[in-house]
Amino acid sequence: MRDQSQEPCCLPLKEEFQRSKFSLHHDDPGAFCRSQWQKGDRSVIWLLYRWILAGFFAGGVIGSMVEAFNGGRWFIYLTDWGFSLCFFCCTYGAVIATIYFIKPSYFAPGSRTLKMYWISHYTTVVLAMLITLVFWAALYPSMPEMGAELYNLWAHAFNSVCMIFDCFMVAFPTRIMHFVYPLIAGLTYGLFSLIYFWSGGVDPMGNRFIYFILDWEQPGLAIGSICGCVVLAFCFCVLIFGLYRLRISMHECCCKEPEEIPATTAPPKEPRQTV
């Protein structure tokens, strides 16, 4: 039998680039409802964690909408799309964790409910990391006074921190080939920004663009920004897969059961010869 410890470290990454990895089927439905670190099927601590995380994002989304709804323009920003997705994903996760806590046999392998959660979680993590990087690298230098605002920290920093931490807590696997889902979400927003521009939409300051890097009066800049974000998103997909492999390695290292040492038996004594 092949010793897995002798396999190249890049083998799991190489195996990800297969057509079968596009699939959303997973044989263990409980993996989407449990933590990697819990023992047994039920954990009150895990259930509390899921609802606290959902409440954290619910407070941010509701508070932001109350403070800066701007006649519905709150919905034009990718930041708010991503933050709403954090709220949806974490609430969804809390609900299925609660159902599983009450009845572990409720979900069957291949459940559409769990497939939707898998898609939303992966897409949320990738978009959160993308939003954080683009904001602090491209947008923040032109508006430094916004960096200390609570919502900006909440939506452009805490979102990534919380979702990356959650990647280390969940028990389901990560598939690089699922990059198509955050890609679809990102391209949908790019198309929305173009339609918004064509329809004469403006931001709260009266600008014809939502973000200056998506100014469709300069189509080269806008298309280049979208292409750059697509490349970044794929890089984040690979990074998230790396975090998943790190989580598995940490779990195997920390939760490894000691090997049983087989009992040694003394050889049978030869019968004494009598004269």
Side-chain angles (χ1 to χ4, degrees), residues 27-126:
D27 291 331
D28 180 14
F32 297 93
C33 312
R34 299 189 305 263
S35 170
Q36 183 78 59
W37 309 96
Q38 77 180 60
K39 294 181 179 179
D41 281 332
R42 292 182 172 92
S43 171
V44 175
I45 295 175
W46 175 244
L47 194 62
L48 288 173
Y49 163 79
R50 290 251 61 102
W51 280 109
I52 289 171
L53 193 62
F56 173 79
F57 284 113
V61 169
I62 295 171
S64 174
M65 291 183 71
V66 170
E67 184 178 342
F69 192 68
N70 286 321
R73 288 192 178 94
W74 187 88
F75 293 101
I76 70 175
Y77 292 103
L78 182 61
T79 293
D80 298 322
W81 283 34
F83 207 48
S84 298
L85 196 54
C86 288
F87 167 53
F88 169 79
C89 171
C90 292
T91 304
Y92 200 134
V95 170
I96 65 172
T98 303
I99 294 172
Y100 184 82
F101 184 85
I102 297 170
K103 188 177 181 182
S105 61
Y106 182 85
F107 295 109
S111 166
R112 290 183 181 180
T113 302
L114 300 181
K115 289 180 179 180
M116 180 63 69
Y117 177 55
W118 203 359
I119 292 172
S120 65
H121 191 278
Y122 190 72
T123 302
T124 300
V125 178
V126 174

Side-chain angles (χ1 to χ4, degrees), residues 4-227:
Q4 292 185 353
S5 64
Q6 301 300 319
E7 292 180 349
C9 61
C10 60
L11 186 59
L13 179 62
K14 196 180 296 184
E15 290 178 345
E16 282 298 303
F17 296 96
Q18 300 178 25
R19 187 184 303 174
S20 61
K21 298 297 184 178
F22 281 108
S23 172
L24 288 168
H25 181 81
H26 191 60
D27 291 331
D28 180 14
F32 297 93
C33 312
R34 299 189 305 263
S35 170
Q36 183 78 59
W37 309 96
Q38 77 180 60
K39 294 181 179 179
D41 281 332
R42 292 182 172 92
S43 171
V44 175
I45 295 175
W46 175 244
L47 194 62
L48 288 173
Y49 163 79
R50 290 251 61 102
W51 280 109
I52 289 171
L53 193 62
F56 173 79
F57 284 113
V61 169
I62 295 171
S64 174
M65 291 183 71
V66 170
E67 184 178 342
F69 192 68
N70 286 321
R73 288 192 178 94
W74 187 88
F75 293 101
I76 70 175
Y77 292 103
L78 182 61
T79 293
D80 298 322
W81 283 34
F83 207 48
S84 298
L85 196 54
C86 288
F87 167 53
F88 169 79
C89 171
C90 292
T91 304
Y92 200 134
V95 170
I96 65 172
T98 303
I99 294 172
Y100 184 82
F101 184 85
I102 297 170
K103 188 177 181 182
S105 61
Y106 182 85
F107 295 109
S111 166
R112 290 183 181 180
T113 302
L114 300 181
K115 289 180 179 180
M116 180 63 69
Y117 177 55
W118 203 359
I119 292 172
S120 65
H121 191 278
Y122 190 72
T123 302
T124 300
V125 178
V126 174
L127 284 186
M129 296 172 73
L130 181 65
I131 289 168
T132 297
L133 179 63
V134 171
F135 176 80
W136 294 105
L139 302 178
Y140 172 71
S142 64
M143 51 181 81
E145 70 283 352
M146 295 181 63
E149 293 181 5
L150 177 60
Y151 179 68
N152 276 300
L153 292 174
W154 210 330
H156 299 118
F158 299 159
N159 59 336
S160 293
V161 171
C162 291
M163 295 311 299
I164 290 173
F165 178 77
D166 200 49
C167 285
F168 279 100
M169 299 303 295
V170 296
F172 53 85
T174 294
R175 298 281 179 257
I176 292 179
M177 302 310 285
H178 290 176
F179 78 92
V180 294
Y181 303 112
L183 177 64
I184 290 171
L187 292 178
T188 299
Y189 182 79
L191 180 61
F192 164 77
S193 71
L194 178 59
I195 294 172
Y196 191 75
F197 170 78
W198 278 343
S199 63
V202 295
D203 73 355
M205 282 73 73
N207 298 310
R208 288 293 313 280
F209 52 79
I210 302 173
Y211 299 104
F212 72 84
I213 60 174
L214 282 178
D215 184 357
W216 288 100
E217 289 183 343
Q218 305 177 60
L221 173 64
I223 294 172
S225 298
I226 291 174
C227 292

Side-chain angles (χ1 to χ4, degrees), residues 231-251:
V231 173
L232 282 174
F234 183 75
C235 292
F236 285 135
C237 290
V238 176
L239 176 60
I240 294 166
F241 176 76
L243 296 176
Y244 156 64
R245 295 303 306 178
L246 177 61
R247 185 189 84 210
I248 297 300
S249 298
M250 290 171 60
H251 182 262

